[in-house]
Amino acid sequence: MILTTLALAITMQSSQSAPPAGAPGPMANEVTGAIGEVRWVRRPEPEYPETALDLGVSGRAQLLCIQQDHRLSGCVVEAESPPGYGFGAAASRAARNSQTAGTEPRARLVINFRHPGW
């Protein structure tokens, strides 16, 4: 099995809640993968899960995706921590909306969400 590395740093704002003026917004401060190299055409830009944002929870999601025609699809959440806050679903939605210049058949994507309060 060949896996492609997906690595980037992204900043994201929740469309549901805005941080106070002057405060940093919630971030997905690390997106990484397994093996290889990838050029992003359109980077994943996940929205911070609303429940996690409201409760001040940071988290992580790991996906295994099929990479075909420069798209990530068929993503399966391999791990989500802590469970129940929507990090896996947010990462899956972001992966579907991204676009890569990669050619490997599979890609592992890890997104670490950091709440601005931490």
Side-chain angles (χ1 to χ4, degrees):
M1 169 186 342
I2 299 174
L3 295 176
T4 299
T5 297
L6 307 175
L8 67 138
I10 59 177
T11 302
M12 53 181 226
Q13 296 289 331
S14 168
S15 63
Q16 305 296 322
S17 304
M27 299 179 71
N29 62 330
E30 182 182 29
V31 178
T32 58
I35 303 166
E37 291 184 31
V38 146
R39 287 186 346 255
W40 289 103
V41 175
R42 183 175 40 232
R43 299 184 302 173
E45 296 181 13
E47 292 186 13
Y48 211 94
E50 185 176 353
T51 301
L53 182 62
D54 292 344
L55 297 174
V57 176
S58 295
R60 174 182 186 274
Q62 178 175 308
L63 308 175
L64 182 60
C65 304
I66 296 168
Q67 186 172 219
Q68 184 176 12
D69 298 327
H70 306 293
R71 299 274 184 203
L72 298 176
S73 64
C75 295
V76 175
V77 178
E78 291 186 310
E80 178 181 21
S81 177
Y85 288 93
F87 294 113
S92 292
R93 283 189 301 275
R96 283 193 303 266
N97 293 321
S98 68
Q99 188 174 3
T100 70
T103 58
E104 301 299 333
R106 293 184 182 228
R108 180 167 282 127
L109 177 66
V110 178
I111 300 178
N112 291 302
F113 296 83
R114 183 178 51 133
H115 192 276
W118 295 98

